[in-house]
Amino acid sequence: MTAAPRPPRVVLPLSQAVPLLAAPPAARPVYVLEVLAPDGAVPTVPGWTLRAWPVARLGDLTLQAVPQGHEDRPADLRRVLQDAGLTPLGPVRRHAG
């Protein structure tokens, strides 16, 4: 079986880079990680607010994820991303906003 071709990577100049969100209210953590996205899209993931950039060293996209609940952890994020068809790569880093 031949894999579908991957979409070309888009590298934005720093002048067009989107800043990361500041820490949301109620001290919810902001996580950042890279993922493989087979179709290049970011699905809706229940319980999480996601933002994506088409710039990544390891994968297809860099994701910023904010849990909508207070108890969600990096392991929970990895699980729901895998369930949604994305492959998390490397560590899930907590962004210090």
Side-chain angles (χ1 to χ4, degrees), residues 4-5 10 13 18-19 23-26 32-34 38 43 45 49 55 59 61 63 66 73 75-76 88 90 92:
V10 177
V18 179
V32 178
L33 72 153
E34 292 187 21
V45 178
T49 301
V55 179
L61 302 169
L63 286 184
V66 178
R73 300 177 313 256
D76 301 323
V92 176

Side-chain angles (χ1 to χ4, degrees), residues 42-71:
V42 178
T44 300
V45 178
W48 293 84
T49 301
L50 301 177
R51 291 180 68 190
W53 292 265
V55 179
R57 290 183 182 188
L58 301 174
D60 300 317
L61 302 169
T62 298
L63 286 184
Q64 180 185 58
V66 178
Q68 293 171 356
H70 296 283
E71 299 298 320

